[in-house]
Amino acid sequence: MRPLNNEETTLVFSKLKNYIGSNIRALLERSDGLYCFRLHNGRIYYVKEDIMKFAATLPRENIISLGVCFGKITKGGKFLVHITALEFLHPYCQNKIWLKESAEQNFMYGNHVYKSGLARISENTPKYAGAVVYSSKDIPLGFGVAAKATAECRHADPMDIVCFHQADIGEYIRNEDTLV
Protein backbone atom coordinates (compact mmCIF):
# COMPACT_ATOMS: atom_id res chain seq x y z
CA MET A 1 0.00 0.00 0.00
CA ARG A 2 1.57 3.24 -1.11
CA PRO A 3 0.61 6.90 -1.46
CA LEU A 4 -0.62 8.08 -4.85
CA ASN A 5 1.90 9.78 -7.12
CA ASN A 6 1.08 13.13 -8.74
CA GLU A 7 -0.38 11.59 -11.90
CA GLU A 8 -2.62 9.20 -9.95
CA THR A 9 -3.71 11.96 -7.56
CA THR A 10 -4.69 14.19 -10.48
CA LEU A 11 -6.58 11.30 -12.08
CA VAL A 12 -8.54 10.45 -8.91
CA PHE A 13 -9.27 14.05 -7.91
CA SER A 14 -10.43 15.05 -11.39
CA LYS A 15 -12.91 12.15 -11.42
CA LEU A 16 -14.15 12.92 -7.91
CA LYS A 17 -14.45 16.61 -8.80
CA ASN A 18 -16.93 15.59 -11.48
CA TYR A 19 -19.23 14.27 -8.73
CA ILE A 20 -18.54 16.37 -5.62
CA GLY A 21 -16.92 19.52 -7.01
CA SER A 22 -14.71 21.39 -4.56
CA ASN A 23 -15.86 19.24 -1.62
CA ILE A 24 -12.82 16.98 -1.97
CA ARG A 25 -11.22 18.80 0.96
CA ALA A 26 -14.29 17.98 3.09
CA LEU A 27 -13.84 14.34 2.11
CA LEU A 28 -10.22 14.30 3.30
CA GLU A 29 -10.52 16.54 6.37
CA ARG A 30 -13.58 15.21 8.16
CA SER A 31 -14.68 15.93 11.72
CA ASP A 32 -13.74 12.40 12.82
CA GLY A 33 -10.14 12.69 11.57
CA LEU A 34 -7.95 12.99 8.52
CA TYR A 35 -8.37 10.60 5.60
CA CYS A 36 -6.18 9.79 2.62
CA PHE A 37 -6.10 7.77 -0.57
CA ARG A 38 -3.75 4.83 -1.02
CA LEU A 39 -3.00 2.56 -3.98
CA HIS A 40 -2.80 -1.20 -3.55
CA ASN A 41 -2.92 -3.73 -6.40
CA GLY A 42 -4.33 -1.19 -8.84
CA ARG A 43 -7.18 -0.17 -6.53
CA ILE A 44 -7.59 3.15 -4.76
CA TYR A 45 -8.52 2.90 -1.07
CA TYR A 46 -9.94 5.64 1.15
CA VAL A 47 -8.57 5.15 4.65
CA LYS A 48 -8.26 7.04 7.91
CA GLU A 49 -4.67 8.18 8.46
CA ASP A 50 -4.46 6.66 11.96
CA ILE A 51 -5.36 3.21 10.62
CA MET A 52 -3.03 3.67 7.65
CA LYS A 53 -0.09 4.33 10.01
CA PHE A 54 -0.79 1.06 11.84
CA ALA A 55 -0.94 -0.80 8.53
CA ALA A 56 2.45 0.61 7.52
CA THR A 57 4.06 -1.82 9.94
CA LEU A 58 2.71 -4.81 7.98
CA PRO A 59 4.40 -6.20 4.86
CA ARG A 60 2.59 -5.20 1.64
CA GLU A 61 2.08 -8.79 0.53
CA ASN A 62 0.12 -9.51 3.75
CA ILE A 63 -2.38 -6.70 3.19
CA ILE A 64 -5.46 -7.64 1.18
CA SER A 65 -7.36 -4.36 1.56
CA LEU A 66 -7.52 -1.43 3.92
CA GLY A 67 -10.31 1.08 4.28
CA VAL A 68 -12.93 1.48 1.55
CA CYS A 69 -12.19 0.74 -2.09
CA PHE A 70 -13.12 3.90 -4.02
CA GLY A 71 -12.28 2.50 -7.42
CA LYS A 72 -9.55 1.18 -9.63
CA ILE A 73 -7.09 2.47 -12.17
CA THR A 74 -7.49 0.64 -15.45
CA LYS A 75 -4.67 -0.50 -17.68
CA GLY A 76 -5.67 2.29 -20.04
CA GLY A 77 -4.90 4.84 -17.34
CA LYS A 78 -8.45 5.80 -16.36
CA PHE A 79 -9.98 5.84 -12.90
CA LEU A 80 -13.28 3.98 -12.46
CA VAL A 81 -15.30 4.76 -9.34
CA HIS A 82 -16.81 1.71 -7.63
CA ILE A 83 -20.21 1.58 -5.98
CA THR A 84 -18.47 1.20 -2.61
CA ALA A 85 -17.70 4.95 -2.78
CA LEU A 86 -21.40 5.91 -2.88
CA GLU A 87 -21.74 6.22 0.88
CA PHE A 88 -18.98 8.84 0.93
CA LEU A 89 -19.89 10.68 -2.27
CA HIS A 90 -23.61 11.24 -1.78
CA PRO A 91 -23.39 13.71 1.16
CA TYR A 92 -21.14 16.00 -0.90
CA CYS A 93 -22.64 15.59 -4.38
CA GLN A 94 -23.70 18.69 -6.25
CA ASN A 95 -25.93 17.14 -8.91
CA LYS A 96 -28.75 14.84 -7.89
CA ILE A 97 -31.33 12.87 -9.83
CA TRP A 98 -34.43 11.37 -8.22
CA LEU A 99 -36.27 8.46 -9.82
CA LYS A 100 -39.92 7.50 -9.86
CA GLU A 101 -40.68 4.30 -7.99
CA SER A 102 -41.45 2.55 -11.27
CA ALA A 103 -37.94 3.29 -12.61
CA GLU A 104 -35.92 2.33 -9.54
CA GLN A 105 -35.76 -1.38 -10.32
CA ASN A 106 -34.79 -0.70 -13.92
CA PHE A 107 -31.84 1.42 -12.74
CA MET A 108 -30.87 -1.25 -10.18
CA TYR A 109 -30.54 -3.76 -13.03
CA GLY A 110 -27.87 -1.59 -14.63
CA ASN A 111 -29.92 0.39 -17.16
CA HIS A 112 -29.77 4.09 -17.95
CA VAL A 113 -32.33 6.57 -16.61
CA TYR A 114 -34.97 7.65 -19.11
CA LYS A 115 -37.02 10.84 -18.98
CA SER A 116 -40.11 8.77 -18.25
CA GLY A 117 -38.50 7.51 -15.02
CA LEU A 118 -37.20 10.88 -13.88
CA ALA A 119 -39.03 12.33 -10.88
CA ARG A 120 -36.84 15.43 -10.54
CA ILE A 121 -33.33 16.70 -11.11
CA SER A 122 -31.34 19.30 -9.20
CA GLU A 123 -31.24 22.77 -10.70
CA ASN A 124 -28.36 23.80 -12.95
CA THR A 125 -27.10 20.28 -13.57
CA PRO A 126 -24.77 20.61 -16.57
CA LYS A 127 -24.57 18.09 -19.38
CA TYR A 128 -22.03 15.28 -18.76
CA ALA A 129 -21.65 16.11 -15.07
CA GLY A 130 -21.49 13.36 -12.48
CA ALA A 131 -24.74 12.87 -10.56
CA VAL A 132 -25.89 10.72 -7.69
CA VAL A 133 -29.16 8.88 -8.36
CA TYR A 134 -31.69 8.72 -5.52
CA SER A 135 -34.93 6.86 -5.00
CA SER A 136 -38.15 8.79 -4.44
CA LYS A 137 -37.53 8.32 -0.70
CA ASP A 138 -34.03 9.95 -0.83
CA ILE A 139 -32.09 6.69 -0.63
CA PRO A 140 -28.92 6.82 -2.74
CA LEU A 141 -29.13 4.09 -5.40
CA GLY A 142 -26.02 4.78 -7.45
CA PHE A 143 -24.39 7.33 -9.65
CA GLY A 144 -24.08 8.20 -13.28
CA VAL A 145 -23.38 10.94 -15.78
CA ALA A 146 -26.08 13.43 -16.78
CA ALA A 147 -26.84 12.94 -20.47
CA LYS A 148 -28.83 16.16 -20.61
CA ALA A 149 -28.71 19.45 -18.73
CA THR A 150 -31.61 20.37 -16.47
CA ALA A 151 -33.09 22.72 -19.06
CA GLU A 152 -32.92 20.05 -21.77
CA CYS A 153 -34.68 17.51 -19.53
CA ARG A 154 -37.79 19.68 -19.36
CA HIS A 155 -38.37 19.41 -23.10
CA ALA A 156 -37.08 15.86 -23.70
CA ASP A 157 -39.13 12.96 -25.04
CA PRO A 158 -40.14 10.25 -22.55
CA MET A 159 -37.72 7.71 -24.06
CA ASP A 160 -34.67 10.03 -24.09
CA ILE A 161 -31.81 9.06 -21.79
CA VAL A 162 -31.24 11.69 -19.11
CA CYS A 163 -28.56 9.88 -17.09
CA PHE A 164 -26.00 7.31 -18.19
CA HIS A 165 -25.61 4.49 -15.71
CA GLN A 166 -22.21 4.22 -14.00
CA ALA A 167 -22.84 2.13 -10.87
CA ASP A 168 -25.75 1.08 -8.66
CA ILE A 169 -26.24 -0.78 -5.40
CA GLY A 170 -27.45 -3.83 -7.31
CA GLU A 171 -23.79 -4.45 -8.17
CA TYR A 172 -23.27 -5.80 -4.66
CA ILE A 173 -25.28 -8.84 -5.77
CA ARG A 174 -24.39 -8.95 -9.48
CA ASN A 175 -20.63 -8.62 -8.93
CA GLU A 176 -20.16 -9.96 -5.42
CA ASP A 177 -17.23 -12.13 -6.50
CA THR A 178 -15.20 -9.26 -7.98
CA LEU A 179 -15.92 -6.41 -5.54
CA VAL A 180 -13.17 -5.94 -2.99
Side-chain angles (χ1 to χ4, degrees):
M1 191 151 290
R2 67 167 176 80
L4 304 178
N5 62 31
N6 289 338
E7 182 181 313
E8 293 162 346
T9 303
T10 304
L11 191 65
V12 171
F13 282 7
S14 65
K15 184 66 140 191
L16 292 179
K17 186 178 180 186
N18 195 22
Y19 291 99
I20 63 176
S22 61
N23 292 329
I24 294 174
R25 181 175 299 275
L27 193 64
L28 298 175
E29 298 171 1
R30 294 179 21 186
S31 60
D32 60 338
L34 296 176
Y35 285 75
C36 60
F37 290 103
R38 291 290 185 254
L39 179 73
H40 186 64
N41 293 336
R43 301 199 187 279
I44 305 294
Y45 290 93
Y46 176 70
V47 62
K48 194 170 183 177
E49 282 192 358
D50 298 340
I51 297 171
M52 188 265 312
K53 289 176 184 174
F54 289 126
T57 61
L58 299 171
R60 284 187 185 176
E61 58 272 359
N62 291 349
I63 297 175
I64 296 173
S65 73
L66 182 68
V68 177
C69 181
F70 252 49
K72 70 177 182 177
I73 295 181
T74 64
K75 292 181 182 179
K78 294 183 180 182
F79 177 63
L80 298 178
V81 183
H82 284 182
I83 189 61
T84 51
L86 180 64
E87 179 183 348
F88 301 98
L89 293 181
H90 89 86
Y92 304 112
C93 73
Q94 296 177 329
N95 305 311
K96 300 177 182 181
I97 294 174
W98 287 269
L99 300 179
K100 294 178 181 175
E101 285 188 31
S102 60
E104 291 174 11
Q105 186 176 11
N106 193 29
F107 180 76
M108 301 282 281
Y109 285 149
N111 297 317
H112 302 306
V113 177
Y114 295 97
K115 169 70 165 82
S116 61
L118 180 69
R120 62 184 176 150
I121 186 170
S122 58
E123 286 297 317
N124 301 324
T125 299
K127 191 173 187 177
Y128 303 125
V132 174
V133 178
Y134 288 88
S135 70
S136 57
K137 296 178 176 112
D138 282 337
I139 299 170
L141 299 176
F143 46 86
V145 175
K148 296 186 180 298
T150 304
E152 295 174 6
C153 289
R154 291 187 180 110
H155 306 293
D157 291 333
M159 292 309 292
D160 285 351
I161 296 174
V162 294
C163 181
F164 297 118
H165 178 273
Q166 295 287 308
D168 63 80
I169 57 176
E171 288 182 29
Y172 285 118
I173 295 171
R174 291 194 309 267
N175 301 331
E176 67 182 310
D177 295 336
T178 58
L179 283 176
V180 176

